[in-house]
Amino acid sequence: METNIATTPFGRRPMTLGMISSQVTARAVPKDAIVHKWHVFQDIKDARIALGATDRALAILDALLSFHPDTALYGDRELVVWPSNEQLIRRANGMPPTTLRRHLAVLVECGLIIRRDSPNGKRFARKGQAGEIEQAYGFDISPIVARAEEFKDLAHAVRSEKKAFRLVKERLTICRRDIVKMIDTGIEEGVPANWGRVQQAYQAIVGQIPRTAPRQTLEVIAEELEGLWAEVREALESFVKTQKVDANESQNGRHIQNSKPDSKFESEPGLGNKDEAGANVADTDNVRSLPKRELPLGIVLDACPNMLWLVKGGGGIRNWREFLAAAEVARPSMGVSPSAWEEARTAMGEQQAAITIAAIYQRQDQINSAGGYLRSLTDRAKAGKFSVWPMVMALLRAKLDASKAAGNGAEAAAADLETAGKVVRTESRLEISDALRRSLDKPGRGS
């Protein structure tokens, strides 16, 4: 007796290596094997990419498994289902017949099912006298039983990889967050370190992170970030320990540790570090002896020509508004925090704070912590012991010395300094301080 369950033709199909492999595996299924079909299907879903299966192919496999009446699949029984294309399309949530055939082929190639074709290519089952199925043609799902352990191992490996990937992403996120916070803390607290270079190192590492990357790549980047994290942490901890050991140190001792002790910039009046400020700048504490008028923009730009690098298009700086805009660009590039900048503007005034930023930017290669240095000058400004005049005069003097040493442009540099001196001398007949006079009258090192 023959019962035609489904009569959907498939036509002639070529035999592939995937089909042969699946048939060999199916024949090797242990007769005593028993698996839960939906548990195995979950493993297949998790290992989908490793198996080469598509989402739609798995939707079809889900539908095929639903046509088998039992949840448990036994290795000693026939495991063939014979739904028509129309039935499969309905249970697979609808798809064009061509798409159905393409993804059925994917299931075969992945070794998840085996085609059991009838002589005429139709799907049906032949039943015996008692109603039992003697022969069925359709899709054999016995690989689900035969490869259950393989699917389980693959799924475990995929889940482990996903977990490792998630953990390295968490490491990156936490490390990036901590480094940014520690850098901000170092700048805010004036910890002696070159925070500008630290920020550049951080950006260089973070810039390596691609939008999509394998876990191994992220592991390498995470190790680099953790190394930077350890360095920044050590710098902060060392500073805290130093503060605890030296209980008599001033609480606002945000000094600059100059890695170039012979630096002309650090030894000039008004531009020394905090420790040097006690000796060098003390002579200029009498700011009442300094000019009351504002520094001319031209003199400031002569002393701080590097500010012109920050102007878009190289159009120059024509007024104080453009100068202030350039200072706003210079501040973050030196690692000066917004709070330190705002505090300086409040204590000095916006224009004076911008000139201070310009002077620091001019010699930033000789200052390890621009933010800490600005805060120390801000503290002096609050005490009425700071003026930008000595800073600008020191830079002009350095420019003159450099010109003399190079043997060119000395006349122009001397003219700049002389112009600044005239502005100082003609200001309401005020007597300038001895320190400033020494700065102006000091002979050049190259003479």
Side-chain angles (χ1 to χ4, degrees):
M1 178 180 180
E2 183 176 300
T3 302
N4 194 343
I5 306 298
T7 58
T8 302
F10 265 76
R12 298 176 63 85
R13 303 179 192 86
M15 180 67 70
T16 65
L17 292 177
M19 295 172 64
I20 295 174
S21 176
S22 299
Q23 292 173 4
V24 171
T25 302
R27 285 196 296 269
V29 59
K31 297 302 181 182
D32 58 347
I34 304 174
V35 301
H36 191 297
K37 66 181 181 182
W38 299 122
H39 291 173
V40 180
F41 180 68
Q42 183 60 51
D43 290 338
I44 293 173
K45 286 174 61 179
D46 290 342
R48 173 181 63 82
I49 296 177
L51 291 170
T54 62
D55 290 335
R56 287 203 168 187
L58 293 187
I60 296 172
L61 179 61
D62 187 6
L64 286 173
L65 291 176
S66 70
F67 281 103
H68 193 280
D70 300 325
T71 299
L73 302 180
Y74 297 87
D76 60 350
R77 298 183 186 178
E78 284 290 328
L79 298 173
V80 179
V81 293
W82 52 90
S84 67
N85 282 4
E86 290 76 12
Q87 290 173 316
L88 274 176
I89 289 173
R90 283 197 298 270
R91 292 204 187 182
N93 299 322
M95 63 180 67
T98 53
T99 303
L100 174 69
R101 288 192 290 271
R102 184 168 68 253
H103 290 288
L104 280 170
V106 170
L107 291 176
V108 174
E109 287 294 333
C110 292
L112 298 174
I113 62 173
I114 300 172
R115 279 195 174 104
R116 300 292 188 194
D117 290 342
S118 66
N120 61 5
K122 297 180 180 180
R123 280 171 253 157
F124 63 89
R126 182 179 293 114
K127 295 185 177 180
Q129 294 289 343
E132 76 282 2
I133 295 176
E134 295 180 344
Q135 183 67 48
Y137 298 100
F139 301 103
D140 187 347
I141 58 175
S142 58
I144 302 296
V145 181
R147 302 178 63 188
E149 286 299 319
E150 176 190 347
F151 297 147
K152 184 176 181 179
D153 292 341
L154 276 175
H156 177 73
V158 170
R159 293 182 195 119
S160 298
E161 180 64 22
K162 285 184 177 180
K163 181 179 179 181
F165 189 84
R166 185 179 69 253
L167 290 176
V168 73
K169 291 282 285 185
E170 290 176 358
R171 282 171 59 196
L172 283 172
T173 300
I174 294 172
C175 204
R176 292 176 67 175
R177 180 191 64 199
D178 288 352
I179 290 175
V180 170
K181 287 183 177 180
M182 287 192 294
I183 290 175
D184 287 343
T185 299
I187 294 173
E188 292 282 346
E189 299 297 330
V191 177
N194 193 325
W195 295 111
R197 281 202 291 267
V198 173
Q199 287 178 320
Q200 290 175 357
Y202 170 74
Q203 292 297 337
I205 296 174
V206 173
Q208 301 176 37
I209 304 176
R211 182 168 297 179
T212 56
R215 175 183 58 82
Q216 292 78 4
T217 300
L218 297 183
E219 291 279 2
V220 173
I221 297 175
E223 289 178 4
E224 291 186 40
L225 270 180
E226 286 170 349
L228 181 62
W229 179 93
E231 292 178 13
V232 177
R233 181 78 178 185
E234 182 179 357
L236 295 180
E237 289 180 349
S238 298
F239 180 73
V240 171
K241 291 176 182 177
T242 302
Q243 297 299 304
K244 289 181 179 179
V245 171
D246 189 2
N248 296 324
E249 185 176 349
S250 171
Q251 294 214 348
N252 62 353
R254 299 184 179 98
H255 59 279
I256 310 302
Q257 289 187 346
N258 185 12
S259 60
K260 301 179 181 179
D262 296 330
S263 166
K264 189 186 309 178
F265 182 64
E266 295 285 352
S267 62
E268 290 290 351
L271 287 177
N273 60 36
K274 183 96 180 209
D275 293 339
E276 294 167 343
N280 293 334
V281 186
D283 295 337
T284 63
D285 279 350
N286 186 12
V287 294
R288 290 174 298 177
S289 299
L290 297 174
K292 302 301 183 211
R293 65 173 291 180
E294 300 293 341
L295 270 164
L297 178 59
I299 291 178
V300 174
L301 291 177
D302 284 338
C304 309
N306 289 357
M307 291 293 284
L308 297 173
W309 300 347
L310 305 174
V311 180
K312 292 182 178 179
I317 297 176
R318 295 163 293 184
N319 50 53
W320 284 111
R321 179 176 57 80
E322 293 179 352
F323 184 82
L324 294 173
E328 289 284 0
V329 176
R331 175 196 61 79
S333 71
M334 295 187 297
V336 176
S337 66
S339 62
W341 172 232
E342 185 59 34
E343 189 177 354
R345 293 169 62 184
T346 301
M348 303 177 187
E350 190 171 48
Q351 188 169 307
Q352 302 299 306
I355 295 173
T356 304
I357 283 289
I360 296 174
Y361 185 74
Q362 184 65 27
R363 293 294 181 83
Q364 63 174 324
D365 59 327
Q366 300 174 12
I367 299 178
N368 281 341
S369 177
Y373 185 28
L374 180 63
R375 285 190 182 277
S376 70
L377 296 180
T378 300
D379 291 340
R380 297 184 60 79
K382 290 178 181 178
K385 298 180 179 181
F386 174 73
S387 170
V388 294
W389 280 86
M391 300 180 72
V392 174
M393 294 302 104
L395 287 169
L396 288 174
R397 170 60 65 184
K399 181 179 179 181
L400 177 59
D401 290 344
S403 298
K404 287 183 177 181
N408 52 30
E411 294 81 2
D416 292 338
L417 189 59
E418 180 62 25
T419 301
K422 288 179 180 179
V423 174
V424 175
R425 290 194 291 273
T426 58
E427 180 58 36
S428 303
R429 294 186 178 181
L430 286 174
E431 289 293 322
I432 65 174
S433 69
D434 293 338
L436 181 55
R437 187 184 305 280
R438 287 196 300 271
S439 176
L440 292 173
D441 297 336
K442 179 181 178 182
R445 291 181 176 87
S447 58

